[in-house]
Amino acid sequence: MTEKRRSRVTLQQVANHAGVSRATASLVVRGSPHISKETREKVLNSMKELGYVYDRVAANLRSHRSSTVGLIITEIGNPFFSDLLAGVHESLDQEGYTVILGTTFDSPAKQDELLSTMLEYRVGGVIMSPVPGCSVDMVERLKQWGIPVVLVAREELPMRQFDYVGIDNVAGGRLATKHLIQQGHRRIAFIGGFSGSSVWRDRKKGYCEALEQAGIELDESLLIQSLTTRKGGMEAMKRALELPNPPTAAFCYNDVVAFGAMLGLKEVGMMPGRDIAIVGFDNIQESAIFHPPLTTIAAFPERIGVHAAHILHKRMTGETSEPKRLILQPELVVRESSSGIPHSS
Amino acid sequence: MTEKRRSRVTLQQVANHAGVSRATASLVVRGSPHISKETREKVLNSMKELGYVYDRVAANLRSHRSSTVGLIITEIGNPFFSDLLAGVHESLDQEGYTVILGTTFDSPAKQDELLSTMLEYRVGGVIMSPVPGCSVDMVERLKQWGIPVVLVAREELPMRQFDYVGIDNVAGGRLATKHLIQQGHRRIAFIGGFSGSSVWRDRKKGYCEALEQAGIELDESLLIQSLTTRKGGMEAMKRALELPNPPTAAFCYNDVVAFGAMLGLKEVGMMPGRDIAIVGFDNIQESAIFHPPLTTIAAFPERIGVHAAHILHKRMTGETSEPKRLILQPELVVRESSSGIPHSS
DNA sequence: GTGAAAGCGCTAACAA
DNA sequence: TTGTTAGCGCTTTCAC
C-alpha cells in the first residue's frame, strides 16, 4: 500500500555514538531519573547530532502500550459531529494521544470494519458514536482485549456495560415540545429522523410526555420520519403541510432537518416563525445565523467530546470503576423561529 | 500514557494450529497467490477459530511500509476545513489507508510538533495545510526520509518542491471584485483575514487587478484586516462603516468573515444586499441558507481533498514525477447579498 | 547507574 | 509451494 522509505537513525546508533548501551539510551529517551547527568547529556547530544527520531511504533510493539486513540463518528458532514470531533481531538491531543479517525456513514458493516482496523493498529482506546442497528459483538471484543471504549451521543443496543456520554434526549424533546405548547400550539409535528435510532425514540418520548402533560392526544400522522439531512427535512415538512389538518408548529429531529423544513416552508411562501413555529435540536453554530434564527435545544457536542476524552484517558491510565454514564442536560435556546402565533385550524 | 492489554493471538499460534510454518501463515494473511487451496483454507480456519487479528503495527515495522497517512489541518471549526477533511478522509479510506489527524490552530510550533509525531508514528505520507509563517525545515525533513507530502489550500514558503492542490485565489479575488464592479460599485472594501497569509495576499491581488482593470484607484484604507472568524468579520465591518467615506460594497476574505460582516451590518440596522453589497469566499454550505443568501466564490474544499488524496496515493505507490501543482478554478455563485444598488456617496 | 540478552509479532530472503 | 533463519527498533528483565 505504500513505498519504502529511507534509513532511520536507530537507538543503537545513538548508543554507539555516545558510547553507551542501547538500554541506557532507551532510558534517556524516556526520561528515566536513574541516569547520571553526564550520560544523559552525552546521549542527548548524540541524538541531536544524528537526527534521531523516536520510533513510537516499535516502542508500542515491544511495550504493549499505545498512545493512539480511535475516534469513530457517523458523519463528518453534520456540524454536531465536527464539533464533537473538535472537543475530543483537542482534549486528547493535550494529553499526548494521537487520534486515528474513522467515519461509518451510518453503516454497521463499515463500523465493524473500522473497529477491526483500530484493533489492527493497536489503539489504546476508542471513542465511538455507534450506528443504529449495529451489533455489540465487535465492541465487546475490544473490551475483552482490554481496550476501553467510550460511547458518545447515541445509545444503541444494550450498552450499559460501556462508558457513555450523551445528552438527555427525552428531556430535550420535552423541553422543545413544552415550549411550543406554551406558545399556544396544539397541533405539533415531530419531523425528521428515523425511528430505528435511539436518539429518535428518546426525543419522541419527550415529545409525547409533553403532549400528555398538556392533555393533548398524540396524532400519529404528525410523526413524519425522514433522512437526517436538509433535503430530508424539506421533504418531511412538505408532507406535513399536505396533511388534511396540518400542524401549526414542528419540533424537528435536529437543526439540519429544521433548516430543511424552514427552506421547504419558504419555498411554498410560508414564513417560519410567523406562519408556523419551528424548534430544532443541537444548537449548531448555524442555527443562530439562519433566517429566522432557529429556536433549538442546545446539546453541547463539544462538551460531550471533552468529557468522553477525559473518561477514556482515565480508563487508559488504569481506572477500573463501574461503567460511567454521563448525561448532560439540554437547554432551550429561544430565538425567532418559534414565535409564530398558531392559526386557528 | 496507557494501560497494558490482554494477550493477542499471534501468527505463530495460528501456524501451529494449522500445522504450517509462520511464514506460510503470513503469506495466507496477505493473500499471496502462491499458496495451495488446502493450506489456505486450513490457515483461514485456524484464524477464525482462534480469533486472530492481524497486527499491522508489527507488520509495518518489519516491512518498512506504512498504510497510515497523516492529515494536518489548521482549524476544524471552519466548515471549509471540515469539508476538506471529509474529502481526504473518504478517498484515503477507500484506498485502504488509515488517517491520523492533527490540528495546528495556526501555530507554527504546533505544526512542527505534529510533523514530529507523524514521523514517530511512521506515517507513509502526509497531507497538510501549512500554517502561515511556518518553517520549511520539518517538511523538508519528511521529504528527505522519503515520506511524500502533499500541501493543500495554502501556499506558504517556497514550497514549489512539494505537490500542491489548491484554488486559484487570485482569480477568485478578481471574480468577486469584478462582480461588484459590474453591479455599479466603485468603493469596495476588502474585509477580513490577515496579510501574513498567502491566501490573503492572493485574494487581495485579484481584488487589485479587478480594480485596476476598471480604472478604480486602490484605497488602502479599504483594506481592513481581522481574525478569520465571525467576530473578526463583524468588527472589521464596523471599522469600515466608520470610515469618513465608507464603502458601498465589501469583498470578504471568506464566508465565515462575511457572515460576521453581515451580522455587523444588521446590528446597526443595515441590510446586506440592499444597503451594502457583500461577497464571500469558499461557498461553504451555510452560505446558501444565510439570510440574505451569500454571493460567494466557490472554492470546492471537498474536491481539493479528493485530489490531494489521489496524488498522495500515487506518490506512496511509487510515482516519482516532478512536483505537481493542481490549481482548481473558482466559480462565482451569485445570490442575494450582492444585489444592492450603490448609494451615491 | 549501566549493560547483556531475550523477544514484541511480523516479513524478507533464501533454501528446500 | 512451503520452511528456515534472521532481524525491523524498541523495551524488558535481570545481572553487575
Side-chain angles (χ1 to χ4, degrees):
Chain A
M1 213 159 299
T2 61
E3 185 203 6
K4 290 220 174 180
R5 69 168 56 118
R6 290 247 218 97
S7 65
R8 225 173 152 106
V9 176
T10 73
L11 204 51
Q12 181 67 73
Q13 291 170 43
V14 172
N16 290 153
H17 185 103
V20 300
S21 77
R22 198 163 77 226
T24 307
S26 175
L27 288 174
V28 173
V29 173
R30 288 176 288 156
S32 159
H34 307 297
I35 293 281
S36 73
K37 253 189 186 154
E38 301 124 46
T39 9
R40 185 196 311 291
E41 278 176 11
K42 263 196 301 185
V43 174
L44 254 24
N45 275 336
S46 301
M47 282 172 50
K48 258 198 188 148
E49 232 169 278
L50 300 180
Y52 172 73
V53 172
Y54 185 61
D55 191 326
R56 213 168 279 276
V57 170
N60 285 351
L61 175 60
R62 178 62 239 244
S63 68
H64 289 208
R65 281 172 235 281
S66 171
S67 49
T68 313
V69 167
L71 173 59
I72 300 183
I73 58 180
T74 50
E75 18 161 8
I76 323 184
N78 188 331
F80 176 88
F81 284 103
S82 56
D83 284 0
L84 181 82
L85 187 154
V88 169
H89 186 10
E90 204 169 340
S91 306
L92 249 26
D93 199 77
Q94 267 168 19
E95 303 282 4
Y97 295 104
T98 297
V99 174
I100 287 183
L101 186 63
T103 316
T104 56
F105 300 106
D106 270 331
S107 146
K110 183 74 195 166
Q111 176 175 300
D112 280 359
E113 197 189 311
L114 280 170
L115 286 169
S116 259
T117 307
M118 301 287 170
L119 262 181
E120 292 185 5
Y121 276 100
R122 293 171 157 269
V123 295
V126 168
I127 293 178
M128 165 170 129
S129 171
V131 168
C134 68
S135 97
V136 79
D137 298 1
M138 267 310 291
V139 194
E140 259 172 351
R141 193 147 151 220
L142 289 201
K143 216 187 161 191
Q144 276 164 21
W145 282 50
I147 301 175
V149 177
V150 177
L151 266 17
V152 288
R154 298 170 168 201
E155 279 181 285
E156 305 296 337
L157 304 164
M159 283 180 161
R160 296 276 166 153
Q161 34 175 333
F162 300 99
D163 291 313
Y164 172 74
V165 183
I167 190 88
D168 189 335
N169 286 304
V170 180
R174 218 185 296 125
L175 226 47
T177 314
K178 256 192 185 162
H179 169 69
L180 288 169
I181 293 170
Q182 275 168 4
Q183 299 288 101
H185 296 277
R186 296 188 65 84
R187 273 193 80 66
I188 303 168
F190 177 42
I191 277 187
F194 161 56
S195 67
S197 86
S198 68
V199 176
W200 190 90
R201 288 192 300 269
D202 283 350
R203 292 183 187 169
K204 184 207 149 200
K205 191 174 171 207
Y207 162 85
C208 290
E209 285 177 12
L211 291 184
E212 199 183 336
Q213 229 174 12
I216 303 172
E217 205 179 334
L218 172 66
D219 178 349
E220 296 270 354
S221 71
L222 291 177
L223 262 31
I224 301 172
Q225 297 181 42
S226 78
L227 292 178
T228 60
T229 58
R230 204 134 68 198
K231 201 171 160 210
M234 190 181 290
E235 289 165 2
M237 179 49 92
K238 288 188 177 163
R239 264 182 285 149
L241 294 177
E242 283 163 5
L243 251 31
N245 186 5
T248 63
F251 164 39
C252 297
Y253 175 74
N254 68 15
D255 287 354
V256 173
V257 165
F259 293 156
M262 296 203 280
L263 256 18
L265 286 175
K266 286 184 186 173
E267 264 189 18
V268 297
M270 293 177 78
M271 184 61 181
R274 192 195 61 200
D275 302 319
I276 188 163
I278 302 284
V279 177
F281 205 115
D282 283 351
N283 194 28
I284 60 179
Q285 290 196 20
E286 292 77 1
S287 56
I289 61 171
F290 198 90
H291 185 79
L294 177 65
T295 294
T296 188
I297 305 296
F300 311 110
E302 193 156 349
R303 280 193 219 167
I304 293 177
V306 170
H307 281 125
H310 282 159
I311 292 179
L312 186 68
H313 173 56
K314 279 191 188 159
R315 292 287 180 211
M316 286 175 72
T317 47
E319 190 175 284
T320 55
S321 56
E322 285 295 288
K324 286 197 174 72
R325 272 178 68 78
L326 185 53
I327 308 296
L328 306 189
Q329 281 310 306
E331 285 170 20
L332 175 69
V333 180
V334 179
R335 299 202 185 93
E336 294 167 30
S337 71
S338 63
S339 55
I341 291 144
H343 296 246
S344 59
S345 59
Chain B
M1 209 160 300
T2 60
E3 186 204 5
K4 292 221 175 181
R5 70 169 53 119
R6 291 247 216 95
S7 65
R8 231 177 147 101
V9 176
T10 74
L11 204 50
Q12 181 68 73
Q13 291 170 43
V14 172
N16 289 153
H17 185 103
V20 299
S21 78
R22 199 165 74 226
T24 307
S26 174
L27 288 174
V28 173
V29 172
R30 288 176 287 158
S32 159
H34 308 298
I35 292 281
S36 74
K37 255 190 186 152
E38 301 123 46
T39 7
R40 184 196 312 291
E41 280 178 8
K42 261 195 304 185
V43 175
L44 254 26
N45 275 336
S46 301
M47 281 172 51
K48 257 198 188 149
E49 231 168 279
L50 301 180
Y52 173 74
V53 172
Y54 186 61
D55 192 325
R56 212 168 279 275
V57 170
N60 286 351
L61 174 61
R62 178 61 239 242
S63 68
H64 290 210
R65 280 172 234 283
S66 171
S67 48
T68 313
V69 167
L71 173 58
I72 301 183
I73 58 180
T74 50
E75 18 160 8
I76 323 185
N78 189 331
F80 176 88
F81 284 104
S82 55
D83 284 0
L84 181 83
L85 186 154
V88 170
H89 186 8
E90 204 169 343
S91 306
L92 248 28
D93 198 78
Q94 267 168 20
E95 302 283 4
Y97 295 105
T98 298
V99 174
I100 287 184
L101 186 63
T103 316
T104 56
F105 300 106
D106 269 329
S107 147
K110 183 75 195 167
Q111 177 176 302
D112 280 358
E113 197 188 311
L114 280 170
L115 286 170
S116 258
T117 307
M118 301 287 170
L119 263 181
E120 292 185 4
Y121 276 101
R122 294 172 157 268
V123 296
V126 169
I127 292 177
M128 164 168 129
S129 172
V131 168
C134 68
S135 97
V136 80
D137 299 1
M138 267 310 292
V139 195
E140 259 171 352
R141 193 146 150 221
L142 288 201
K143 216 187 160 190
Q144 277 165 20
W145 283 50
I147 302 176
V149 178
V150 177
L151 266 17
V152 288
R154 299 172 169 199
E155 280 182 285
E156 306 296 336
L157 305 164
M159 284 182 162
R160 294 276 166 154
Q161 35 175 333
F162 300 97
D163 291 312
Y164 173 73
V165 183
I167 191 87
D168 188 336
N169 285 305
V170 180
R174 217 185 296 124
L175 226 48
T177 314
K178 256 192 185 162
H179 168 69
L180 288 169
I181 293 171
Q182 276 170 4
Q183 301 287 102
H185 296 278
R186 297 186 65 83
R187 273 194 80 68
I188 303 168
F190 178 41
I191 276 186
F194 161 56
S195 67
S197 86
S198 68
V199 175
W200 191 90
R201 290 191 300 271
D202 284 350
R203 292 182 187 170
K204 183 207 150 201
K205 192 174 169 206
Y207 162 85
C208 291
E209 284 178 13
L211 290 185
E212 199 183 336
Q213 230 177 10
I216 303 171
E217 206 179 334
L218 173 67
D219 179 349
E220 296 269 354
S221 71
L222 291 177
L223 262 32
I224 301 170
Q225 297 181 42
S226 79
L227 292 178
T228 59
T229 58
R230 204 133 67 195
K231 203 172 160 208
M234 190 180 289
E235 288 165 2
M237 179 48 93
K238 288 188 176 163
R239 266 182 285 148
L241 295 177
E242 283 163 5
L243 251 31
N245 185 5
T248 64
F251 164 41
C252 297
Y253 174 75
N254 68 16
D255 287 354
V256 173
V257 166
F259 292 156
M262 296 203 280
L263 257 18
L265 286 175
K266 287 184 185 173
E267 263 189 18
V268 297
M270 293 177 77
M271 184 59 182
R274 193 193 62 202
D275 302 320
I276 188 162
I278 302 283
V279 176
F281 205 115
D282 284 350
N283 194 29
I284 59 180
Q285 290 196 20
E286 293 76 0
S287 56
I289 60 171
F290 198 89
H291 184 77
L294 177 63
T295 295
T296 188
I297 306 295
F300 311 111
E302 193 157 349
R303 280 193 218 167
I304 293 178
V306 170
H307 281 125
H310 282 158
I311 293 179
L312 185 69
H313 174 55
K314 278 190 188 159
R315 293 287 180 211
M316 287 175 72
T317 47
E319 190 174 283
T320 55
S321 56
E322 285 294 289
K324 287 198 174 73
R325 272 178 68 77
L326 185 53
I327 308 297
L328 306 188
Q329 281 311 306
E331 285 171 20
L332 176 68
V333 180
V334 179
R335 299 202 185 94
E336 293 168 31
S337 70
S338 63
S339 54
I341 293 144
H343 297 245
S344 58
S345 57

